[in-house]
Amino acid sequence: MTMLTEEPVAGAAASGSRARTRLPWHRVLTLLCVLALAAMPVLPTPEFWITLANYIGLYSLVAIGLVLLTGVGGMTSFGQAAFVGLGAYSTAYLTTQCGLSPWLGLLAGLAVTLCCASLIGAITMRMSGHYLPLATIAWSLSLFYLFGNLEFLGKYDGITGIPVLSVFGIPLQSGRAMFYAIWVVVLLAMLLSSNLLNSRPGRAIRALKGGVTMAEAMGIFTGWMKTVVFIMAAMFACISGFLYAHLQRTVNPTPFGLNHGIEYLFMAVVGGVGHVWGAIVGAGVLTILKDVLQGLLPKLLGSTGNFEIIVFGVLMVLLLQYSPDGIWSYLSRWLPSGPRAHAPDPAPALPVREKPASGELLLDVRAVRKQFGGLVAVNDVSFEVRAGEIVGLIGPNGAGKSTTFNLITGVASLTAGEVRYRGERISNEYSREIVKRGICRTFQHVHLLPSMSVLENVAIGAHLRGDFAAQGGVAAAMLRLNREEERKLLFEARVQLERVGLGDRLYDEAGSLALGQQRVLEIARALCADPALLLLDEPAAGLRHLEKQALAALLRKLRGEGMSVLLVEHDMDFVMNLTDRLVVMEFGTRIAEGSPEDVQRNPAVLEAYLGTDAMGEHEGAGGDARGA
C-alpha cells in the first residue's frame, strides 16, 4: 500500500463501479419472501401453519428491535417482553373498558411505551458491562408483577373480550386475516431498520459497539443515541404486543415475563444478532423447533414438562461456541455479497470551516496536570501549537504523552491547569463538543469497526458536518428522506480515502486491512471531520519505510494547506525529519522544547530519553536526512 496525495485514483472508480454492479440480493430475497407470504393464506395451507407463521411474525418484530439494540448498538436487554406487555395491555384496557378504537389503543400504547422507555433508558443506558443486563432483568420483573397485581388490568386473570381489529372497515377475525397485517408490519420494520442502519444516525448507532471513546471523539452524542435505539426497540415490541392482543383477543401477564424476554434474545442471537434478516431466521427456527420439541420430547422421555428449554440451553451454548454470529452468517455466504454504502459519483461538497491565519495561536496548553490518586501522570505541562506547523510530542513509554492527548481532547478530565483553543477555554469539555471546534484525533490503539467497510468507517468522521437538521434525523433516515445528505457524506469519505491512498479499498472490511493501513484509515476518518488541528497518536506505528515517507508527504501537504498537526511518535527519524518543533516529556513532565536540532543537542534529552551515545549517532544521521 502506497499512500497518494493526488487526485482520485482510477482504482477507486473501478472499485466503485464493481460494487454498483453487484446483484442487490437483499432486494431479490425480500421480493421472494413477499411473494411467498402473499400466497400462503390463499393457498390450501393448514391452519396450524398460518398460526405458526403469525407467531413467527410477532416474535420477529421484537427480535428486529433487539438486533438494533444488542447486535448493532451493543446493549444487551432481557426485558423486551415487558414492552410487548405494555402494547398489549394498553389496547386491551382501552378497547374493553373505555370502548375506544383499537387504533387509539395502539397510539396510547406507543405513548406509554415512549414514556417508560425514555425513563428506563435514561437510567439504564448509562450502565455498562454486566450491570446493564441486570438492570433490564430488574425492570422486566417489575413490569411483569405490575401487570399481575393491578386490579383494573384483571390481575393474573388478565383481560378478555378484546374486539376484532379492523383495517379500512375490513374485520380481521381469523388468523388468516391477521396474517397479512402482521407480516406487512414486519416487512415495514425490516425496511425502516435497514434504511436507518445505512445512514448517518445508523453509523452512529453502529459506532456504539466500538466503544464510547471513539464515537464521542467523532462528535456522536452516545448517551442520546443509546436512548434512541432503546426506545426504537421498545416501540417495535409494543407494536408486536398490540397485534398479539387482537390476534389472541385476550391478554394475561404470562407471555410478558422474564422467560419470554430471554427467548426473544435467544431468537436474535440464534438468527444472527447483527443482521436484520437474522431476526426473522432466529424467530422462525426457534418457534418451529420449540413446537417440534414440545411434541417429541414428552414421547421420548415418557413424561411431560418444559424439556425444550433444556435443549435450547444446550443449543445456545453450542451456537455461541461454534457460530457466535448466528445462522444468518452461514446463510449469507451463499448470497452475493456487497457493501451497505456506495461511494457516489461527484456530489456537492460539504461545508468547509475557515482555516486560521498562518501563525495564529491555535492550541494553548497551560500547566495541565492529571492525577490518579497519588500518581501524577501529567505534571504541569505547558506548550503551544500554532496554525500551519507540525509539533511532535515525544518521550519514552509511560511519559504521559497519550494522557496529555486525552486531556486536550476531553477523553480525560484535568486535575489542574487549562487548555485553550483559539482563545476559548475547552478544558474538561466533552469530546463531542471539542471536535465541533475543529480538533480531531486518532488513537494509539486503533479504534475501528472491523465488520464495517472502509468507506463507512471514514464516513463516521463526517458525523457533525452538513445540514444540522439531517444529523439527528432518525425518522428522516428511516424514510430515506436524507439521500442527498448521504451522497455528500459518502463522497467526502471517498475523497479523504483517495487523499491518503486507500481509494482502492473503499468496500473492503476495515478489519481486513493491515495494521499500518488501519492507522492511515483513522487519519482519513479524522480528516473527514474537517479539522484545523489534527492530533495523531503514533500514526507511523506499523508502517513500512515507503508508507512512512508517503505519510510524511501527506502531513507536509496538510501543513501547506493551513492545517496544524500535533503528533505523538516513537520513530525518531520520522519525527526529526517532519516536525517544526518538539516537546519532550519524561515521567509526566516536560523536560525540553524547541526545534528538532535543538532537542537533539539538549543535555536533558540526551541523558534521560535516548542516551548520550545513541543520540550522538542519531544526530549526524538525522541532520543529514533533514538537510536532504
Side-chain angles (χ1 to χ4, degrees), residues 86-96 101-102 105-106 109 162 241-242 245-246:
L86 287 177
Y89 269 105
S90 295
T91 188
Y93 179 78
L94 292 177
T95 53
T96 59
S101 164
L106 173 61
I162 300 172
F242 165 79
H246 290 283

Side-chain angles (χ1 to χ4, degrees), residues 388-431:
E389 69 175 352
I390 300 177
V391 177
L393 187 61
I394 65 173
N397 288 331
K401 305 180 299 296
S402 293
T403 303
T404 302
F405 259 42
N406 290 338
L407 296 176
I408 294 170
T409 56
V411 175
S413 58
L414 279 74
T415 304
E418 68 173 3
V419 179
R420 289 185 172 272
Y421 178 74
R422 304 189 75 174
E424 295 184 9
R425 191 174 187 272
I426 62 171
S427 307
N428 294 332
E429 285 196 6
Y430 292 112
S431 296

Side-chain angles (χ1 to χ4, degrees), residues 177-226:
M178 282 292 293
F179 177 92
Y180 286 115
I182 291 171
W183 278 100
V184 164
V185 173
V186 172
L187 291 173
L188 184 61
M190 292 179 65
L191 176 63
L192 295 176
S193 299
S194 296
N195 288 345
L196 173 64
L197 293 178
N198 297 329
S199 68
R200 183 203 318 240
R203 287 188 292 272
I205 293 170
R206 286 192 275 167
L208 297 176
K209 202 169 184 179
V212 171
T213 301
M214 183 276 287
E216 289 275 338
M218 296 300 112
I220 298 169
F221 189 175
T222 55
W224 168 246
M225 295 310 302
K226 285 181 178 181

Side-chain angles (χ1 to χ4, degrees), residues 18 61 123 128 146 192 208 214 282 316 373 462 497 546 575 586:
R18 287 195 301 271
L61 264 180
I123 298 172
S128 60
L146 189 67
L192 295 176
L208 297 176
M214 183 276 287
M316 178 62 68
L497 281 165
L546 292 178
V575 169
E586 185 185 28

Side-chain angles (χ1 to χ4, degrees), residues 309-321:
I309 303 299
I310 301 173
V311 177
F312 282 174
V314 174
L315 291 177
M316 178 62 68
V317 171
L318 294 175
L319 184 72
L320 293 177
Q321 178 71 30

